[in-house]
Amino acid sequence: SVTTCADSTAVFDLTNFPIEDGTYEWYTQQTGGAPIFVGDSFVTNFITAPTTFYLEVSNVVCQDRFLATIDTTSPPDIIVDQALRYACEGEVVVLTASSSNAAATFDWFDNPVFGAGNKLSDDNPFNFTPDFTSSSTNDVYAQAHVDQCRGAARTLVRVENITDRQEPQVTPTDTAICVGQSVTFDIVPRLESSLVSYSWWDAAAGGNQLSNTESFSTPSLNSSKFYYAQLEIGDPNVCQSRGRTQVDVDVLPKLSAP
């Protein structure tokens, strides 16, 4: 049996199941009648509802007729877990799609147009290795199908290389204040805020987390200090080698009375 979209054709392909000296005849009835097609690859007319055919297989000795059914369904929808993903060069990004139709399976392409482009994978999840030799962006398209019923729409997942953006950009970079004052540092957003988070630390590696906001105000300071901003990617499997951005607060002594 096969499943196809309503108002489309279906294909019964037996080319991978050859029978020596065998013939294949296709009928619309279980016994008798005249064949509507002879051959091992039968393309039906447009099917609007579940339909039954019969395949008669024969060789020089034996002959038998088998049931061949076609079910119809609607093209499955596609839901991607994230439409935008980040990656650092050389990493694998895991792409996942789903559908409200539990029977749907998925193909991944490099082209948005139905019937065009190269098929990259039929795995789901799909371990995608971005190519950053010619572009900083890779567009991948998911297409869903239930057997022979394929959705015409393909859904985009964009994978961006953030190798040059994996350490936060902070303003001001370095600053000077007087004893007893504080200063506020702001991280300049360069990535989709829903996919990342930021934190502030008191050491270049390890140390104590001071804040988890884009904007960080120091306490009142009596001596010069270094602070470190870190970018956190929502996907724990990418950009693990990222560093922290250091900012320097130079605390100047109070002025003496003239």
Side-chain angles (χ1 to χ4, degrees):
S1 66
V2 299
T3 300
T4 190
C5 299
D7 298 318
S8 65
T9 62
V11 179
F12 291 100
D13 188 358
L14 302 176
T15 56
N16 292 327
F17 305 95
I19 296 177
E20 186 175 356
D21 297 324
T23 59
Y24 303 91
E25 296 181 337
W26 300 84
Y27 294 82
T28 58
Q29 57 197 62
Q30 189 172 5
T31 59
I36 58 173
F37 180 78
V38 177
D40 56 8
S41 184
F42 170 41
V43 180
T44 71
N45 293 326
F46 281 87
I47 302 296
T48 59
T51 305
T52 299
F53 294 97
Y54 296 89
L55 166 64
E56 185 170 286
V57 182
S58 59
N59 56 23
V60 293
V61 177
C62 302
Q63 183 183 73
D64 208 346
R65 196 171 289 194
F66 302 92
L67 180 68
T69 60
I70 302 174
D71 292 323
T72 57
T73 188
S74 299
D77 61 339
I78 309 170
I79 306 166
V80 295
D81 60 344
Q82 288 179 255
L84 175 64
R85 301 292 297 276
Y86 292 131
C88 288
E89 194 164 357
E91 293 182 332
V92 171
V93 180
V94 181
L95 307 181
T96 305
S98 61
S99 174
S100 59
N101 188 329
T105 56
F106 304 89
D107 297 323
W108 301 87
F109 294 88
D110 61 2
N111 191 294
V113 180
F114 180 82
N118 300 303
K119 181 178 175 179
L120 305 177
S121 177
D122 56 10
D123 294 334
N124 188 53
F126 169 33
N127 293 327
F128 175 62
T129 302
D131 176 15
F132 294 122
T133 58
S134 59
S135 173
S136 62
T137 299
N138 287 245
D139 288 345
V140 183
Y141 301 87
Q143 180 175 302
H145 62 92
V146 176
D147 196 6
Q148 297 182 15
C149 181
R150 298 183 177 275
R154 293 178 178 178
T155 299
L156 169 66
V157 179
R158 174 159 291 170
V159 181
E160 289 189 6
N161 176 17
I162 64 163
T163 299
D164 62 340
R165 292 176 286 170
Q166 61 181 318
E167 295 181 3
Q169 180 179 320
V170 180
T171 180
T173 52
D174 299 313
T175 190
I177 60 174
C178 292
V179 168
Q181 293 182 333
S182 66
V183 62
T184 297
F185 293 102
D186 293 299
I187 295 174
V188 179
R190 296 187 293 166
L191 300 172
E192 173 58 44
S193 60
S194 64
L195 300 180
V196 299
S197 60
Y198 301 97
S199 54
W200 291 87
W201 300 78
D202 62 2
N208 300 302
Q209 183 175 327
L210 306 175
S211 174
N212 59 359
T213 59
E214 293 182 21
S215 182
F216 167 61
S217 297
T218 71
S220 298
L221 298 176
N222 295 316
S223 61
S224 297
K225 291 276 292 184
F226 293 114
Y227 293 97
Y228 303 86
Q230 180 170 300
L231 167 68
E232 298 287 346
I233 306 296
D235 185 341
N237 299 311
V238 301
C239 297
Q240 294 301 300
S241 61
R242 57 189 177 274
R244 294 176 179 175
T245 298
Q246 176 182 299
V247 291
D248 178 18
V249 183
D250 189 12
V251 177
L252 303 178
K254 289 185 178 181
L255 298 175
S256 300

